[in-house]
Amino acid sequence: MTKSIAAFQDEHGRITGWPSDRRRAHQLAILDHLTGLFEPGRRYSEAEVETILRDHSTLEEPGVLLAELVDGDYLATGDGTYWRADSRPNG
């Protein structure tokens, strides 16, 4: 991914805004960045995912990021847990 997400981050690296659909490449770069916050093979509760997204964004509604991560197949979900879609969860 070659698009920079710096325009959508504050001085602490938190996501401060969600790009418009016209800037899909920036959206994908943000999703790639956020995916890196989750360990491969680990299951996360919804509360853990929401905490991670709140800690790494200043958006009023970080649920938008969760929906984008799931809809974009960056995170998978089942049985009330989430995991990186590019790795099988342990256990």
Side-chain angles (χ1 to χ4, degrees):
M1 188 65 50
T2 60
K3 291 292 181 180
S4 171
I5 64 171
F8 302 96
Q9 290 179 299
D10 66 11
E11 63 275 7
H12 303 289
R14 296 175 299 198
I15 303 301
T16 60
W18 185 247
S20 70
D21 288 342
R22 291 183 304 109
R23 300 181 88 178
R24 186 64 181 156
H26 288 94
Q27 291 177 349
L28 296 175
I30 290 171
L31 294 173
D32 283 338
H33 168 73
L34 293 173
T35 301
L37 301 174
F38 298 92
E39 295 175 33
R42 178 173 170 211
R43 287 185 182 269
Y44 295 85
S45 69
E46 185 169 354
E48 288 174 309
V49 172
E50 289 174 350
T51 296
I52 290 168
L53 295 177
R54 265 194 315 273
D55 288 349
H56 291 88
S57 80
T58 62
L59 300 181
E60 261 184 57
E61 183 50 56
V64 169
L65 298 174
L66 177 55
E68 290 286 340
L69 286 165
V70 171
D71 291 347
D73 294 326
Y74 290 86
L75 291 182
T77 185
D79 297 326
T81 62
Y82 295 82
W83 61 90
R84 279 180 55 157
D86 62 355
S87 66
R88 297 179 65 74
N90 297 326

